[in-house]
């Protein structure tokens, strides 16, 4: 009777060990899959961050370029205005000189 019970306990222990080993393997497999999934997710996040950085740099460059263009346009407009004033002034001087010459004759 004792031997039968001992044998039964050994079988139960063997089954419990097998079950425990199987569960441990399932847990290890699940952890491995989860770790791989997290690594892939992290790679995706890093790719997204790199794209964002590139976009930020592009927009920053674009913004700086737009500021430079606006500044150059203002300088051109100012230069045209000054040139127009200088031309107007020169024409007035020529007219005045021509009248003086005419009066001297």
């Amino acid at each position: 009777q004792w031997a039968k019970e001992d044998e039964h306990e050994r079988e139960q222990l063997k089954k419990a060990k097998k079950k425990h080993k199987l569960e441990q393997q399932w847990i290890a497999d699940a952890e491995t899959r989860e770790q791989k999934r997290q690594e892939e997710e992290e790679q995706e996040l890093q790719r997204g961050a790199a794209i964002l950085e590139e976009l930020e740099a592009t927009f920053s460059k674009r913004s700086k370029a737009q500021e430079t263009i606006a500044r150059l346009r203002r300088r051109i407009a100012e230069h045209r205005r000054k040139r127009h004033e200088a031309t107007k002034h020169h024409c007035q001087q020529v007219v005045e000189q021509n009248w003086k010459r005419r009066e001297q004759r």
Side-chain angles (χ1 to χ4, degrees):
Q1 183 70 24
W2 290 94
K4 223 177 189 183
E5 286 179 13
D6 284 350
E7 182 63 29
H8 181 69
E9 279 183 28
R10 275 196 294 277
E11 287 297 318
Q12 292 295 353
L13 189 59
K14 216 175 178 181
K15 283 182 184 178
K17 282 182 179 178
K18 246 185 182 178
K19 184 180 174 186
H20 179 71
K21 191 175 180 181
L22 192 57
E23 287 175 354
Q24 290 299 312
Q25 186 60 50
W26 289 343
I27 290 169
D29 291 347
E31 287 173 344
T32 301
R33 282 192 306 273
E34 180 61 17
Q35 184 177 358
K36 186 177 180 184
R37 188 192 65 74
Q38 285 180 4
E39 287 170 359
E40 289 170 356
E41 193 175 89
E42 180 60 28
Q43 287 175 350
E44 278 295 310
L45 288 172
Q46 287 176 356
R47 280 194 286 273
I51 290 169
L52 274 178
E53 267 184 47
E54 199 174 305
L55 284 173
E56 285 175 342
T58 300
F59 281 118
S60 174
K61 286 177 190 170
R62 182 177 177 199
S63 177
K64 286 178 185 171
Q66 287 173 333
E67 289 170 15
T68 302
I69 289 167
R71 189 171 58 252
L72 289 173
R73 282 188 176 143
R74 286 192 300 271
R75 286 175 61 189
I76 289 168
E78 180 67 14
H79 182 75
R80 284 182 177 149
R81 188 187 62 73
K82 286 180 179 178
R83 188 183 64 202
H84 175 73
E85 290 296 318
T87 302
K88 195 166 127 183
H89 179 69
H90 174 72
C91 289
Q92 286 172 345
Q93 282 183 327
V94 168
V95 167
E96 288 171 12
Q97 287 172 357
N98 285 345
W99 276 117
K100 284 180 185 176
R101 280 193 202 127
R102 188 166 237 197
E103 289 170 358
Q104 288 174 356
R105 286 189 200 153

